[in-house]
């Protein structure tokens, strides 16, 4: 079983739709969870960062962590064409060497005007 | 604002050449990382450095070496480039005891 699973898509939605992006993981030691947005031919950009379980909201974006199910989500409300990108989840455990981020392979999202 | 820069956006090299990829960060971060990103394989860690002159191997170090002589600069070296090293190379950094990493724009390297 892979440590982090992420549906690669592609996901295509109309402008204004609510988008749900998800990752599942197998390592119960993961405590820190991140979402990155990567536009074509650019580097990943940190979008959201959460610790342990719960929700975090930032504008149109909401990150959700359910540690009991080992499942994290990113919701995008009122999606815009500028949200078209690949979304990567990433996670790591607390303590020890803080170098090892485990990434999902990314979901390609297209928002159509 | 966090800033990680990479020396080249696009690079074309010939098989057997020695290749240097440079990364500079201006956040005074202790940790720096080199990844490669390939379709279907995602991001894979090549090397990271947690201090000047200190380095550790990541998941795929073979064929690569690194150098960190100054805190803000981390170089990736391909001693003898091969076609299977054609990829997108991404540099990242974070502070000590930080978890989120900040990425540069990437260098798309083609080895012919």
């Amino acid at each position: 079983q892979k440590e982090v699973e992420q549906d690669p898509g592609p996901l295509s939605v109309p402008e204004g739709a609510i988008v749900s992006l998800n990752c599942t993981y197998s390592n119960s030691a993961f405590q820190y969870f991140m979402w990155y947005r990567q536009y074509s031919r650019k580097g990943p950009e940190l979008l959201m960062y959460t610790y342990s379980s719960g929700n975090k909201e930032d504008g149109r974006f909401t990150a959700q962590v359910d540690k009991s199910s080992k499942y994290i989500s990113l919701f995008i409300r009122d999606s815009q064409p500028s949200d078209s990108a690949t979304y990567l989840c990433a996670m790591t455990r607390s303590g020890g060497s803080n170098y090892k981020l485990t990434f999902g392979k990314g979901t390609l999202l297209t928002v159509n005007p | 604002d966090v800033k990680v820069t990479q020396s080249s956006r696009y690079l074309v090299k010939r098989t057997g050449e020695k290749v240097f990829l440079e990364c500079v960060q201006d956040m005074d971060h202790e940790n720096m990382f080199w990844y490669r990103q390939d379709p279907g394989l995602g991001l894979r860690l090549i090397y990271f450095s947690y201090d000047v002159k200190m380095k550790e191997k990541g998941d795929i170090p073979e064929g690569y070496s690194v150098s960190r002589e100054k805190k803000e600069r981390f170089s990736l070296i391909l001693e003898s480039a091969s076609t299977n090293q054609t990829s997108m190379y991404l540099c990242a950094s974070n502070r000590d005891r930080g978890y989120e990493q900040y990425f540069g724009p990437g260098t798309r390297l083609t080895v012919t």
Side-chain angles (χ1 to χ4, degrees), chain A residues 32 34 36 38 41-46 49 88 92-101 103-105, chain B residues 9-10 31 33 35 37 40 43 48 59 88 90 94-105 108:
Chain A
Y32 293 86
M34 285 142 270
Y36 287 85
Q38 185 175 22
R41 300 184 183 277
K42 299 283 177 68
E45 168 196 10
L46 182 66
Y49 166 45
L88 301 160
T92 189
R93 57 185 174 84
S94 63
S97 299
N98 60 330
Y99 67 90
K100 185 87 171 157
L101 283 186
F103 288 87
K105 291 185 178 176
Chain B
R9 292 301 309 277
Y10 300 94
N31 303 321
F33 309 83
Y35 293 88
Q37 186 177 34
L43 278 160
F48 77 100
D59 299 320
M88 173 73 140
L90 291 159
N94 71 359
R95 59 180 174 81
D96 190 34
R97 299 184 187 278
Y99 294 94
E100 68 276 25
Q101 293 179 14
Y102 297 90
F103 284 84
R108 186 165 292 277

Side-chain angles (χ1 to χ4, degrees), chain B residues 61-102:
Chain B
E62 297 79 19
Y64 303 94
S65 62
V66 290
S67 171
R68 193 165 178 204
E69 297 296 320
K70 292 185 178 181
K71 189 176 184 180
E72 68 272 16
R73 189 178 296 269
F74 192 33
S75 301
L76 179 70
I77 302 151
L78 286 66
E79 296 289 342
S80 178
S82 64
T83 55
N84 63 11
Q85 292 179 309
T86 291
S87 186
M88 173 73 140
Y89 288 89
L90 291 159
C91 175
S93 71
N94 71 359
R95 59 180 174 81
D96 190 34
R97 299 184 187 278
Y99 294 94
E100 68 276 25
Q101 293 179 14
Y102 297 90

Side-chain angles (χ1 to χ4, degrees), chain A residues 3-103:
Chain A
E3 272 200 301
V4 178
E5 301 264 15
Q6 184 176 10
D7 187 338
L11 183 61
S12 181
V13 301
E15 184 175 352
I18 296 174
V19 176
S20 172
L21 303 166
N22 312 294
C23 288
T24 58
Y25 62 95
S26 58
N27 189 342
S28 57
F30 287 148
Q31 294 267 37
Y32 293 86
F33 304 91
M34 285 142 270
W35 285 96
Y36 287 85
R37 177 176 62 196
Q38 185 175 22
Y39 291 116
S40 181
R41 300 184 183 277
K42 299 283 177 68
E45 168 196 10
L46 182 66
L47 206 54
M48 301 280 284
Y49 166 45
T50 54
Y51 170 68
S52 196
S53 284
N55 291 1
K56 185 175 183 179
E57 192 172 317
D58 183 3
R60 297 184 295 109
F61 298 89
T62 300
Q64 205 170 74
V65 175
D66 181 349
K67 289 196 69 185
S68 62
S69 302
K70 297 192 183 69
Y71 189 87
I72 68 170
S73 300
L74 178 71
F75 297 98
I76 308 174
R77 288 185 301 280
D78 187 25
S79 56
Q80 302 295 309
S82 59
D83 296 327
S84 299
T86 296
Y87 289 81
L88 301 160
C89 64
M91 51 198 78
T92 189
R93 57 185 174 84
S94 63
S97 299
N98 60 330
Y99 67 90
K100 185 87 171 157
L101 283 186
T102 302
F103 288 87

Side-chain angles (χ1 to χ4, degrees), chain B:
Chain B
D1 215 16
V2 164
K3 194 142 185 206
V4 179
T5 57
Q6 295 183 228
S7 50
S8 306
R9 292 301 309 277
Y10 300 94
L11 211 50
V12 179
K13 295 291 181 181
R14 294 197 180 277
T15 302
E17 277 192 83
K18 191 168 186 176
V19 181
F20 293 87
L21 303 182
E22 301 280 328
C23 174
V24 177
Q25 51 94 3
D26 67 357
M27 294 85 66
D28 202 34
H29 283 169
E30 286 76 17
N31 303 321
M32 296 187 74
F33 309 83
W34 275 107
Y35 293 88
R36 64 178 282 178
Q37 186 177 34
D38 301 286
L41 297 176
L43 278 160
R44 293 180 291 169
L45 181 64
I46 304 171
Y47 266 100
F48 77 100
S49 168
Y50 51 91
D51 201 351
V52 174
K53 298 191 187 293
M54 306 303 288
K55 61 186 180 186
E56 281 197 27
K57 294 179 181 178
D59 299 320
I60 51 161
E62 297 79 19
Y64 303 94
S65 62
V66 290
S67 171
R68 193 165 178 204
E69 297 296 320
K70 292 185 178 181
K71 189 176 184 180
E72 68 272 16
R73 189 178 296 269
F74 192 33
S75 301
L76 179 70
I77 302 151
L78 286 66
E79 296 289 342
S80 178
S82 64
T83 55
N84 63 11
Q85 292 179 309
T86 291
S87 186
M88 173 73 140
Y89 288 89
L90 291 159
C91 175
S93 71
N94 71 359
R95 59 180 174 81
D96 190 34
R97 299 184 187 278
Y99 294 94
E100 68 276 25
Q101 293 179 14
Y102 297 90
F103 284 84
T107 296
R108 186 165 292 277
L109 172 68
T110 302
V111 182
T112 61

